[in-house]
Amino acid sequence: MMKTQREIMTSGKPYQQFDTELIERRVFIREQLAKWNSYPDNDKRNNGLKSLLGDVGENFFVESNFKFDYGWNIHIGDYFYGNYDMTFLDTCPITIGEHCYFGPNVGLYTPIHPLDPRQRNADVEMGAPITIGNSCWFGGRVTVLPGVTLGNNVVVGAGSVVTKSFGDNVVIAGNPARVIKKVALSNDTNLTNQE
C-alpha cells in the first residue's frame, strides 16, 4: 500500500514538504493558532488549542502564542503547563509525559535538514522524534533538537540546548547541555517543610 507524505514524514524518512495535504494542514493550523492564541479567556484558549493536538491530558494549560506545524504529532500527558511563546515543530512525534512544566520560549524541533547543500536545495527534509518523560521542568529558552529522549524527573536549565538524550533524575544545563547534578528524590511532599 502506498504511504502518504504525512505517514512518510511522521516516520522520519525524507518527504515532500510541499505535498498538498501537508500544505493545507499548515495553513489550517496557522489560521487556528491566530484565532485561539488571541483569546484572553484561559478556558477558551486552552480548549481550542487542545482540539488541534494529537492527544493531550485533561489538565492542560498554555499561555498565548503556542506555535506548531501540524498538531497531529503532538502527544502531551496530563498536568501540563507551558509558558508564553512555545514552539513545537512536529514533523515527527513529540511525546511529553505527565506533570511537565515549560518556561517561556521553549522550542522542541523534530525536523532535520541535510548537511549536503545539494539535498537542502532540493528541499529534502526528514525528522526524528522527541520524547520527554514524566515530571520534567524546562527553564526559559530551552531548545531540544531532533531525536532527543529525556527520562523522568529531568530539569533543564534556562537557555540550554539539548543535543543528546539523558536518563532519569538529572539536572542538565548548557550549550550543549550536560549533567550538572542529580535530582535528589524525597518522600516528603509537604512543601511547607522545604527550605
Side-chain angles (χ1 to χ4, degrees), residues 18-161:
F18 299 112
D19 172 72
T20 302
E21 180 189 17
L22 298 181
I23 291 172
E24 287 175 356
R25 179 65 178 186
R26 290 192 301 265
V27 169
F28 171 76
I29 289 296
R30 279 195 293 272
E31 291 169 349
Q32 292 298 303
L33 291 177
K35 171 183 167 183
W36 294 116
N37 277 317
S38 68
Y39 274 96
D41 181 86
N42 291 329
D43 289 337
K44 285 184 181 176
R45 181 179 65 255
N46 285 291
N47 287 329
L49 292 170
K50 281 172 74 169
S51 72
L52 302 173
L53 304 178
D55 56 273
V56 61
E58 184 178 339
N59 298 284
F60 169 86
F61 189 102
V62 296
E63 302 291 357
S64 59
N65 292 319
F66 183 22
K67 298 177 282 291
F68 46 88
D69 288 324
Y70 301 101
W72 294 320
N73 288 328
I74 298 174
H75 312 280
I76 300 175
D78 209 3
Y79 298 100
F80 177 81
Y81 173 79
N83 214 311
Y84 295 100
D85 297 313
M86 291 188 309
T87 302
F88 293 2
L89 302 185
D90 62 318
T91 294
C92 283
I94 293 173
T95 305
I96 300 169
E98 297 186 348
H99 292 279
C100 289
Y101 304 91
F102 287 7
N105 297 288
V106 165
L108 308 181
Y109 307 145
T110 67
I112 297 172
H113 299 279
L115 294 177
D116 184 333
R118 292 167 297 182
Q119 291 182 323
R120 284 198 310 274
N121 293 345
D123 292 319
V124 173
E125 188 170 320
M126 57 205 137
I130 292 173
T131 304
I132 297 163
N134 296 322
S135 300
C136 292
W137 171 27
F138 288 16
R141 295 198 183 278
V142 165
T143 300
V144 180
L145 298 187
V148 165
T149 294
L150 298 178
N152 298 322
N153 312 315
V154 173
V155 176
V156 186
S160 296
V161 179

